Amino acid sequence: MPQNIRYTLLSLRDLMVSIGPVALLTAALLALTYWWLDPNPPQRVVLATGPDQSAYDEFGKRYAEALRRYGITVELMPSEGSSANLELLRSGQADLGFVQGGTADIGYDDEESIVSLGSLFVEPLWLFYREDAAQRLNSMSTVANLAELQGWRVNVGTPGSGVPRLFRTLLDVNRIDTGQLKLSELEQTPATVAFLNGDLDALVFASAPESLMVQMLLQTPGIKLMDFAQSEAYSRRFGYLTPVVMPQGVVDLAADIPARDVRLVASTTSLLASAKTHPAILQLFAQTATGLHGRPGWFSRAREYPSLEHSEVPISPEAVRAIKSGPPFLQRYLPFWIANLIERMWLAMGLIIALALPLSRIVPPLYTFRIRSRVFRWYAELRDIEQRHESLNDDTATPVQELIDQLDTMERKVEKIVVPLSYTDELYALRNNIHLVRKKLLRNVN
């Protein structure tokens, strides 16, 4: 290897050693920041959905498929429905869950431990009844209001769905004693079977129109859907309810199903999450919600949902950014994991760099000290030889020849010193000083 390259390599080596303390401190701060911020999300989350074949179950599968592209496994946890999902969130058994407005008791404690990713869709209260039951019990083929259900066998769903609570609220406001109805709380699938077999007169549940159960019942002969003529009044009495209209023919244009507009009352379903859920997970779910629920539907126009309104708990900041601004800038051009790491670490990295820059000012002096110390440390020995020569008249003085031998040994060692070319003037100055001391010693020998 040529000498000038060797000198350069030695210079770089000393430079790296000089930079070492600052680099180690910076790396330690970055590691501590990474541990504290925990920028990378877990690869597995639990989403509380609902009964089989429900809209919650269907949407849960779509979320799982969407997040699989990012390497996130979404474990779907079936439940009885909205109220059960809220309890799963409170207990920490689920990270996220679908919760319908007005079907669960949300208290002040929930505002601290649960956040919302926005309202996803409206969930009408479907009241299907058998046409033959209406003719048998009311001598009419249609049901105009809830008061006409007195004496009917009505299934209102399981307590975990929240529908029994909502339906009883509607009965109370209509001054209907629940004892005048034969209410049951069967699960949706066995209740539907009993309803179709004639063991039940009416079926009440809340679900999005995407539910297979809704689609099937709307097209079943002899099954009718109650028209809530007072839907606007219900929405004025209860803030979590909103009036919606199912347009004529929206189910099947060719068969003209339904044959006329049907007025319904609906509550908005939100995607709630534990406040402890990783922010990157919340961001991904909010972005996915924009794609899944932003399309036009039976009760909404394009991009009307997800919405930041109708929330009973605080909205997550990640959801606000995702719904209003879409994916972050970096995620549009970089893989999710890299973009997420930069987005969540950039501020801390900036602060660390701001701290490291002043510390880096010690690197040049430290580097200079390391190089010059190879030369300057020999001056102590050279000065010692000279001082012992000046004390030759003392009884303890070292013989001149011995001093010369020490000087020769030191010179041989100094000749092996290698320094960068920019510091060779100091090396040669040391060698000249050694020669000067030798001349001084030789004068006494002669």
Side-chain angles (χ1 to χ4, degrees):
M1 171 185 307
Q3 286 294 327
N4 59 340
I5 297 180
R6 184 183 175 203
Y7 297 151
T8 302
L9 291 176
L10 285 172
S11 173
L12 291 176
R13 183 181 65 185
D14 288 311
L15 181 60
M16 294 303 296
V17 173
S18 302
I19 293 175
V22 177
L24 287 176
L25 177 61
T26 303
L29 289 175
L30 283 173
L32 180 63
T33 303
Y34 184 91
W35 172 81
W36 182 56
L37 292 178
D38 189 22
N40 284 330
Q43 296 185 341
R44 173 186 170 275
V45 293
V46 178
L47 174 62
T49 56
D52 291 339
Q53 299 183 351
S54 66
Y56 291 174
D57 178 58
E58 179 62 28
F59 280 124
K61 295 175 182 177
R62 297 182 189 180
Y63 276 97
E65 181 180 356
L67 267 71
R68 192 178 297 117
R69 297 196 298 267
Y70 301 102
I72 306 295
T73 300
V74 179
E75 180 180 324
L76 303 182
M77 180 177 288
S79 69
E80 293 181 352
S82 182
S83 295
N85 290 348
L86 184 59
E87 291 302 321
L88 291 172
L89 289 173
R90 287 168 174 165
S91 64
Q93 298 180 57
D95 301 301
L96 303 101
F98 299 109
V99 177
Q100 185 185 36
T103 61
D105 292 317
I106 296 180
Y108 291 108
D109 293 340
D110 296 320
E111 296 183 3
E112 299 291 334
S113 59
I114 297 176
V115 295
S116 172
L117 302 187
S119 302
L120 305 182
F121 49 86
V122 293
E123 224 174 349
L125 186 69
W126 306 94
L127 198 162
F128 289 98
Y129 61 91
R130 295 181 60 89
E131 188 174 6
D132 57 359
Q135 292 175 343
R136 183 181 72 255
L137 297 172
N138 298 350
S139 301
M140 298 177 63
S141 61
T142 60
V143 175
N145 54 67
L146 295 177
E148 297 179 10
L149 298 180
Q150 295 184 28
W152 285 42
R153 298 168 297 175
V154 182
N155 188 80
V156 294
T158 59
S161 66
V163 176
R165 178 176 179 270
L166 176 59
F167 188 67
R168 285 185 172 89
T169 299
L170 299 184
L171 293 178
D172 290 341
V173 79
N174 281 279
R175 301 193 186 98
I176 300 174
D177 184 2
T178 55
Q180 297 176 347
L181 285 77
K182 299 176 183 178
L183 300 180
S184 60
E185 296 183 348
L186 300 176
E187 293 184 0
Q188 192 173 59
T189 299
T192 303
V193 173
F195 176 62
L196 295 177
N197 290 336
D199 297 328
L200 291 172
D201 302 317
L203 193 63
V204 179
F205 60 93
S207 178
E210 286 82 359
S211 168
L212 297 177
M213 200 72 70
V214 172
Q215 300 280 345
M216 182 269 293
L217 291 174
L218 285 172
Q219 301 182 64
T220 301
I223 304 300
K224 287 193 173 184
L225 177 64
M226 177 178 164
D227 179 18
F228 283 81
Q230 297 172 311
S231 59
E232 186 68 39
Y234 283 118
S235 68
R236 301 295 179 88
R237 295 288 299 270
F238 305 101
Y240 51 81
L241 294 178
T242 182
V244 295
V245 176
M246 187 168 64
Q248 177 180 347
V250 71
V251 178
D252 190 333
L253 286 170
D256 194 27
I257 301 174
R260 58 184 178 84
D261 291 351
V262 180
R263 292 160 292 185
L264 302 170
V265 291
S267 60
T268 54
T269 292
S270 301
L271 181 59
L272 303 188
S274 168
K276 298 180 180 179
T277 305
H278 197 284
I281 294 294
L282 300 181
Q283 184 183 79
L284 281 180
F285 268 88
Q287 292 175 13
T288 304
T290 303
L292 291 181
H293 306 288
R295 305 187 183 105
W298 288 4
F299 306 109
S300 63
R301 300 186 183 277
R303 294 181 294 279
E304 186 175 347
Y305 288 95
S307 170
L308 300 176
E309 300 178 357
H310 309 294
S311 178
E312 298 176 272
V313 294
I315 300 290
S316 165
E318 283 74 17
V320 174
R321 286 193 293 268
I323 293 174
K324 289 187 175 181
S325 306
F329 175 78
L330 291 178
Q331 287 190 26
R332 301 173 189 176
Y333 305 99
L334 297 175
F336 166 73
W337 293 96
I338 298 177
N340 175 70
L341 179 63
I342 296 175
E343 288 167 5
R344 304 198 180 279
M345 289 283 290
W346 72 268
L347 180 58
M349 291 173 64
L351 293 176
I352 292 173
I353 292 173
L355 176 63
L357 285 177
L359 292 177
S360 65
R361 295 180 181 178
I362 69 173
V363 173
L366 184 60
Y367 171 75
T368 300
F369 172 78
R370 285 185 54 82
I371 299 298
R372 298 183 69 182
S373 65
R374 298 179 187 175
V375 176
F376 288 168
R377 67 186 181 89
W378 294 102
Y379 279 102
E381 185 176 345
L382 185 62
R383 180 59 179 167
D384 179 65
I385 293 174
E386 189 175 18
Q387 287 178 344
R388 282 186 290 164
H389 170 260
E390 292 173 353
S391 62
L392 284 176
N393 295 329
D394 297 342
D395 295 337
T396 58
T398 305
V400 174
Q401 188 57 49
E402 184 178 340
L403 294 176
I404 292 175
D405 291 340
Q406 291 180 6
L407 199 62
D408 291 340
T409 301
M410 184 178 69
E411 185 176 27
R412 287 193 297 271
K413 293 180 179 178
V414 168
E415 289 176 350
K416 296 179 181 179
I417 297 176
V418 179
V419 295
L421 294 175
S422 58
Y423 291 88
T424 52
D425 56 337
E426 297 181 0
L427 177 61
Y428 282 106
L430 172 61
R431 295 173 66 177
N432 287 334
N433 290 328
I434 293 174
H435 286 301
L436 289 176
V437 175
R438 180 182 285 107
K439 287 180 180 180
K440 186 175 181 180
L441 296 178
L442 290 175
R443 282 198 300 267
N444 289 341
V445 174
N446 296 333

